């Protein structure tokens, strides 16, 4: 089975390298950050080599070319998300920066003491801490939806919590970066609107893997990062409904976001510049646009099927290994992530052993401590797949996990024997 051809792999130069152990790299840490294809590297180096200058300011050739490329990147991003207008597409430093922007600008203005911000327990810290901070500023409450045993959340539970708590905002990840669970954005947004809640969708884990349609989703805010979608780090996107963004005060102040400044005050620029203070991530926006075009060229349905096949293969194999526990739903309910724990082995030891076999996975709490606490775990190991991973890499992963199991079971037995005889 090779759903995506060798050509895709050849587009990513880093995949040819070996790791410190001398093994060929199997990069299964894509949920932390993905790799970049030549199309992205070339678009960014082309800008630096030929036409880089600051945007929106200079009346000279290079600045005009850079500005045109930066604004073309915004249009590509608008089209990728199906936003109505480029005024609704704000470039930020990433998902974290985008959520902080909303928490400050919208939150400070519209959230009051005792208002509720509703989250799921599966959120990344980027979609928890800014709301705790808002709570410190205005005295609102942060409430969490629990997970069911199958790592999903029923609509009925969502509805009951919305009805009881009447939150000002329901903010949730469309896909969990730990469990992989896909949450039903359109259904939950509709439910939230029935109870007058605004909706923020953290699409950091979804945007790299599926086409996004913000009009269909109908959420007030949608955010994602470039680096998980084959784009550069240092750039992310905040989509917001235009009327709401218009009603929100500017967040960071400085150059670029003003229409006029006097000794006594300022008037903000129109959208989207109002929320883009300072020199923006110019080359990163160009790189992001190249990444989105690249992914669209491969086709999101192809990517989905490919990742699903790899995920299913790993999932099925892990379920056969005694002592391995999968932390997440069945593959039909998730994006290409398999988080797991091995009985009696710390997640860091798993990741370290896998690295000796050339396999990069992540170990820890994956910036989701409340989730891990609710699962009774301090850490998990996570293999996350992307369009360039292969069945061969999954086989290597499964073989290495079996080795971990055997090696640490033996060490455990030796330790136990020593304890008995001493
Ligand atoms: N939310 C989710 C679901 C994520 O996976 C991540 C990145 N791991 C973030 C938020 C934070 O993104 P960034 O670090 O790019 O700001």
């Amino acid at each position: 089975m090779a759903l995506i051809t060798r050509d895709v792999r050849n587009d990513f130069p880093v995949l040819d390298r070996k790791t410190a152990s001398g093994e060929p790299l199997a990069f299964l840490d894509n949920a932390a950050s993905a790799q970049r294809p030549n199309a992205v590297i070339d678009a960014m180096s082309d800008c630096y080599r030929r036409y880089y200058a600051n945007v929106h300011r200079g009346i000279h050739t290079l600045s005009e070319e850079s500005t045109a490329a930066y604004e073309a990147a915004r249009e590509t991003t608008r089209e990728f998300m199906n936003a109505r207008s480029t005024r609704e597409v704000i470039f930020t430093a990433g998902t974290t920066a985008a959520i902080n922007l909303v928490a400050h600008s919208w939150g400070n203005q519209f959230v009051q003491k005792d208002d509720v911000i509703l989250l799921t327990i599966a959120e990344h810290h980027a979609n928890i801490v800014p709301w705790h901070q808002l709570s410190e500023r205005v005295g609102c409450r942060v409430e969490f939806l629990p997970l069911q045993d199958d790592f999903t959340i029923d609509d009925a539970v969502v509805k009951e919590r919305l009805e009881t708590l009447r939150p000002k905002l329901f903010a949730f990840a469309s896909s969990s970066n730990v469990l992989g669970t896909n949450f039903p954005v359109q259904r939950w947004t509709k439910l939230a609107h029935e109870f007058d809640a605004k909706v923020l969708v953290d699409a950091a884990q979804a945007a790299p893997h599926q086409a996004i349609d913000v009009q269909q989703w109908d959420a007030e805010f949608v955010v994602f990062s470039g680096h998980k979608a084959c784009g550069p780090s240092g750039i992310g996107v905040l989509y917001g409904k235009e009327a709401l963004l218009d009603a929100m005060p500017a967040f960071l102040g400085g150059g670029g976001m003003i229409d006029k400044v006097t000794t006594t005050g300022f008037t903000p620029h129109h959208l989207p510049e109002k929320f883009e203070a300072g020199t923006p991530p110019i080359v990163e926006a160009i790189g992001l646009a190249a990444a989105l075009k690249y992914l669209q060229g491969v086709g999101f349905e192809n990517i989905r099927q490919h990742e699903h096949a790899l995920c299913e293969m790993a999932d099925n194999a892990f379920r056969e290994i005694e002592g391995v526990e999968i932390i997440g739903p069945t593959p039909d309910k998730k994006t290409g992530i398999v988080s797991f724990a091995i009985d009696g082995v710390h997640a860091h030891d798993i990741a370290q052993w896998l690295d000796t076999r050339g396999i990069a996975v992540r170990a820890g709490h994956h910036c989701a401590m409340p989730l891990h606490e609710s699962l009774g775990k301090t850490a998990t190991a996570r293999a996350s797949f992307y369009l360039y991973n292969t069945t061969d890499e999954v086989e290597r992963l499964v073989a290495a996990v079996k080795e971990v199991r055997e090696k640490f079971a033996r060490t455990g037995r030796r330790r136990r024997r020593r304890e008995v005889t001493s």
Side-chain angles (χ1 to χ4, degrees):
M1 181 213 56
L3 288 165
I4 288 185
T5 63
R6 294 290 312 171
D7 294 348
V8 162
R9 253 187 108 71
N10 290 339
D11 289 338
F12 292 80
V14 75
L15 299 180
D16 279 343
R17 66 161 287 176
K18 290 190 168 32
T19 61
S21 57
E23 296 286 329
L25 170 69
F27 191 78
L28 305 180
D29 191 21
N30 297 288
S33 205
Q35 297 298 342
R36 282 114 202 87
N38 284 319
V40 171
I41 299 166
D42 292 348
M44 294 177 76
S45 86
D46 185 49
C47 173
Y48 281 129
R49 283 176 198 284
R50 288 198 312 110
Y51 65 94
Y52 176 81
N54 211 334
V55 293
H56 297 149
R57 284 170 205 173
I59 307 173
H60 59 77
T61 304
L62 265 59
S63 178
E64 281 175 5
E65 287 180 16
S66 278
T67 303
Y70 182 66
E71 290 306 325
R74 198 190 303 280
E75 169 55 22
T76 300
T77 310
R78 182 206 67 73
E79 191 238 300
F80 166 73
M81 308 174 87
N82 194 29
R84 285 173 198 83
S85 153
T86 48
R87 289 189 295 279
E88 299 180 319
V89 180
I90 318 286
F91 285 130
T92 67
T95 300
T96 305
I99 298 177
N100 275 277
L101 190 165
V102 175
H104 275 267
S105 172
W106 177 81
N108 289 1
Q109 180 85 359
F110 295 106
V111 179
Q112 280 150 19
K113 191 168 177 325
D114 297 330
D115 281 345
V116 171
I117 306 291
L118 181 62
L119 313 174
T120 81
I121 196 69
E123 299 312 310
H124 188 281
H125 294 163
N127 196 25
I128 300 176
V129 182
W131 307 116
H132 282 324
Q133 290 174 310
L134 177 65
S135 162
E136 286 172 3
R137 291 197 297 278
V138 305
C140 60
R141 267 174 31 233
V142 182
E143 298 276 350
F144 293 87
L145 282 162
L147 280 176
Q148 293 157 191
D149 290 346
D150 66 351
F151 304 97
T152 66
I153 303 174
D154 262 357
D155 287 6
V157 177
V158 176
K159 187 172 178 195
E160 188 278 321
R161 290 285 78 195
L162 287 166
E163 196 163 14
T164 309
L165 296 169
R166 300 282 169 159
K168 264 273 161 68
L169 179 78
F170 180 22
F172 61 92
S174 44
S175 299
S176 155
N177 68 308
V178 180
L179 311 166
T181 310
N182 292 319
F183 294 113
V185 177
Q186 219 177 317
R187 285 210 312 270
W188 284 7
T189 302
K190 195 161 176 286
L191 274 177
H193 287 168
E194 280 171 27
F195 296 99
D196 295 327
K198 302 266 184 283
V199 174
L200 181 145
V201 179
D202 172 356
Q205 181 58 35
H209 307 277
Q210 68 178 83
I212 284 181
D213 187 330
V214 293
Q215 293 191 53
Q216 206 172 55
W217 278 1
D218 199 30
E220 277 64 34
F221 304 106
V222 177
V223 297
F224 71 94
S225 297
H227 67 94
K228 296 200 4 162
C230 294
S233 54
I235 185 151
V237 177
L238 164 65
Y239 156 85
K241 286 186 179 171
E242 188 173 347
L244 194 53
L245 291 177
D246 260 334
M248 286 159 48
F251 170 43
L252 297 177
M257 53 70 73
I258 47 86
D259 183 34
K260 192 175 171 198
V261 184
T262 67
T263 51
T264 53
F266 75 98
T267 43
H269 213 323
H270 50 64
L271 292 170
E273 283 84 359
K274 175 171 133 183
F275 289 112
E276 292 185 359
T279 298
I282 303 163
V283 184
E284 289 73 15
I286 291 165
L288 172 65
L292 297 178
K293 281 186 188 156
Y294 177 83
L295 293 174
Q296 283 168 331
V298 176
F300 280 103
E301 184 48 27
N302 293 334
I303 294 172
R304 192 194 63 75
Q305 282 182 28
H306 181 78
E307 290 170 355
H308 178 74
L310 299 181
C311 184
E312 198 162 45
M313 191 178 158
D315 218 87
N316 288 342
F318 279 1
R319 281 178 207 279
E320 298 293 307
I321 309 172
E322 203 199 313
V324 173
E325 179 192 1
I326 294 176
I327 318 293
T330 48
D332 55 310
K333 295 195 182 76
K334 63 183 178 184
T335 55
I337 285 180
V338 182
S339 285
F340 61 100
I342 303 180
D343 196 18
V345 188
H346 194 279
H348 287 155
D349 291 331
I350 301 175
Q352 224 155 34
W353 180 264
L354 263 51
D355 184 52
T356 67
R357 299 293 182 254
I359 303 164
V361 298
R362 184 137 299 228
H365 52 65
H366 318 297
C367 294
M369 282 173 131
L371 170 64
H372 278 77
E373 198 190 350
S374 80
L375 297 170
K377 304 253 179 277
T378 48
T380 51
R382 177 184 68 190
S384 49
F385 306 107
Y386 211 3
L387 70 168
Y388 38 69
N389 292 124
T390 64
T391 52
D392 176 55
E393 289 174 329
V394 176
E395 278 165 13
R396 285 172 57 197
L397 169 72
V398 172
V401 165
K402 283 181 181 158
E403 282 177 355
V404 174
R405 179 73 193 120
E406 278 156 26
K407 179 180 153 53
F408 283 86
R410 246 186 283 130
T411 329
R413 269 201 303 276
R414 262 206 308 275
R415 200 181 301 130
R416 271 195 300 280
R417 254 204 313 274
R418 265 205 310 275
E419 279 161 9
V420 171
T421 50
S422 61

